Amino acid sequence: MALKTEEMVLNMGPQHPSTHGVLRLEVELDGELIVNVKPHIGYLHRCFEKHAEAMNYNQVIPYTDRLDYLAAMYNSFGYVIGVEKLLGIQVPERVEYIRVIMGELQRIASHLVAVGTYGVDIGAFTPFLYGFRDREKILSLFEMTCGARMLYNYNWVGGLSHDLHPDFVPMAREFLKYFKGSLVEFNNLLSYNKIFIERTANVGVLPLDTAISYGITGPNLRASGIKWDLRKNDPYSVYDRFDFEIPMGSGEKGTTGDCWDRYYVRIREMEESVKIVEQALDQLPEGDVHAAIPKRIKPAVGTIYSRVENPKGELGYFIISDGSVNPYRMKVRGPSFVNLAVLGELCKGHLVADVIAILGSIDIVLGEVDR
């Protein structure tokens, strides 16, 4: 006679560090085995999309910083190029290069938090310290440029709030040189660590067809084995002028699309971002950092969908203009919101201890999940 068991529901979060404050996971368990996981999203009361209707186009920018607050520089990048397309204006070339430099430094900073905190989720504390140590160096470069360390309000419609500080270029080069050695440290500490591999390889495998059906983007999609990156596949700004690779998962330590692949794609993407910034610094043109635009921005009646390759995936802004100074409607496609949807599929059949390893590998920020 088979032993009768009862399923148990375990609430994980919102207080758990890996749930970032406002996410509760309803985990259905059969013993230690996961039957299903349902994410319950809390409220940060950002109301970004509704607020945007009451703001003029420039006043919306600080709100974009607060979506994915670990990638604020890239959030505003995506928004302003959408409004500029709506207005039909061209910004100076220097602006485009500086936006790419800041965006790729922001990608490195975001991935450093992702891999550092992922180490903590698995039980390794030192990579967390190393990740924040290096991120601080990037934040110092941002602070030198615009006076802020986290919420920058740096990309403006038609240009930038400030030109680069005279010391920025040499200090950025110095950081890139230093950071190449730092990536080797990460690989030695974490990537090829036997315990880390055993906790992440063959865990939370995301098959490519499932990833596509859920609309997954960014490193999570590329880890499943496809080279899809908007910087290459739908180039914007001046990305088509740089030589860089799109890393993807290969199942090097387990199965393609597992937690280790998602982690390692981010490590390799930081290497590619270093290459992009180096090239952009070499080619950085002189010139103004503001285009000539009217004081009161009033795009013609129309709609636009603008998308960029945010560190966490495709970040899109759908904007409807009614010809006034405020957006009539605004809708954001936040990659964290979409990527979170597949969590239940990834967890089924694994052990309860794997939930944290799987959730951490997705790299979500709840600021753009609840808007």
Side-chain angles (χ1 to χ4, degrees):
M1 181 178 167
L3 185 66
K4 187 182 175 188
T5 59
E6 248 180 55
E7 290 178 3
M8 182 180 76
V9 175
L10 177 73
N11 282 303
M12 193 172 284
Q15 78 280 11
H16 192 285
S18 72
T19 58
H20 296 223
V22 288
L23 175 68
R24 176 171 67 90
L25 301 179
E26 183 183 322
V27 185
E28 293 176 37
L29 294 172
D30 179 3
E32 283 283 315
L33 286 176
I34 299 164
V35 177
N36 197 15
V37 174
K38 292 180 191 169
H40 292 269
I41 300 162
Y43 293 94
L44 289 174
H45 304 288
R46 296 282 168 85
C47 304
F48 168 76
E49 290 159 347
K50 199 64 187 170
H51 266 305
E53 296 170 15
M55 304 289 167
N56 68 43
Y57 284 89
N58 269 327
Q59 287 174 332
V60 172
I61 296 168
Y63 287 83
T64 65
D65 287 344
R66 287 155 176 79
L67 290 170
D68 174 359
Y69 39 81
L70 298 179
M73 202 63 91
Y74 224 104
N75 296 344
S76 56
F77 189 176
Y79 170 74
V80 296
I81 63 175
V83 178
E84 286 160 2
K85 280 181 191 170
L86 206 54
L87 286 165
I89 61 170
Q90 186 75 36
V91 297
E93 274 213 336
R94 184 173 176 81
V95 172
E96 298 282 20
Y97 276 84
I98 293 174
R99 283 178 179 173
V100 168
I101 291 167
M102 294 302 180
E104 292 308 311
L105 287 174
Q106 183 74 90
R107 188 182 311 280
I108 295 172
S110 175
H111 282 358
L112 281 173
V113 175
V115 299
T117 54
Y118 193 44
V120 171
D121 291 342
I122 302 294
F125 190 62
T126 305
F128 172 79
L129 298 176
Y130 284 17
F132 274 78
R133 174 198 64 189
D134 296 345
R135 176 175 175 260
E136 279 298 305
K137 297 179 190 300
I138 296 174
L139 299 194
S140 295
L141 289 170
F142 290 162
E143 185 179 22
M144 171 197 287
T145 307
C146 62
R149 296 182 69 81
M150 196 162 180
L151 305 170
Y152 311 105
N153 190 22
Y154 183 60
N155 290 299
W156 285 4
V157 177
L160 307 166
S161 67
H162 302 79
D163 200 350
L164 296 179
H165 187 280
D167 293 336
F168 181 90
V169 173
M171 289 184 71
R173 288 190 194 281
E174 191 180 327
F175 166 75
L176 296 174
K177 188 177 173 187
Y178 153 84
F179 187 62
K180 289 175 189 172
S182 187
L183 281 170
V184 176
E185 278 183 339
F186 266 102
N187 282 330
N188 291 337
L189 271 172
L190 211 54
S191 306
Y192 305 124
N193 180 300
K194 187 172 186 298
I195 299 170
F196 182 75
I197 292 170
E198 290 196 358
R199 286 296 312 275
T200 56
N202 294 315
V203 175
V205 177
L206 176 60
L208 184 56
D209 56 345
T210 306
I212 292 171
S213 68
Y214 273 83
I216 306 299
T217 53
N220 296 327
L221 174 66
R222 294 189 282 276
S224 294
I226 188 170
K227 280 190 180 182
W228 178 261
D229 189 311
L230 295 174
R231 295 173 296 171
K232 286 278 192 189
N233 297 98
D234 187 12
Y236 50 92
S237 191
V238 288
Y239 273 107
D240 55 352
R241 302 182 190 180
F242 305 123
D243 179 27
F244 63 101
E245 292 295 320
I246 304 299
M248 60 178 194
S250 60
E252 184 179 331
K253 299 295 179 187
T255 309
T256 301
D258 60 14
C259 288
W260 192 90
D261 268 350
R262 287 193 283 279
Y263 155 84
Y264 196 58
V265 161
R266 293 188 177 92
I267 291 286
R268 291 180 58 206
E269 283 190 3
M270 288 193 280
E271 295 172 357
E272 298 305 317
S273 291
V274 168
K275 289 184 196 171
I276 295 171
V277 178
E278 283 179 334
Q279 293 172 68
L281 290 173
D282 290 341
Q283 301 171 23
L284 183 63
E286 294 296 328
D288 200 357
V289 294
H290 299 101
I293 59 169
K295 268 191 173 180
R296 284 165 61 85
I297 298 171
K298 291 177 71 174
V301 175
T303 62
I304 192 155
Y305 178 70
S306 166
R307 59 181 186 172
V308 291
E309 191 65 40
N310 175 280
K312 293 175 180 61
E314 179 179 327
L315 173 66
Y317 293 92
F318 178 65
I319 306 169
I320 301 178
S321 167
D322 61 356
S324 70
V325 294
N326 302 342
Y328 177 71
R329 286 285 186 273
M330 175 96 68
K331 174 68 183 170
V332 178
R333 183 206 189 274
S336 291
F337 180 79
V338 181
N339 294 348
L340 182 62
V342 80
L343 182 67
E345 291 289 332
L346 297 183
C347 290
K348 282 177 188 171
H350 285 291
L351 298 173
V352 65
D354 293 326
V355 175
I356 300 306
I358 295 169
L359 178 64
S361 73
I362 298 174
D363 184 28
I364 53 167
V365 160
L366 272 298
E368 67 175 11
V369 173
D370 168 52
R371 303 184 285 280

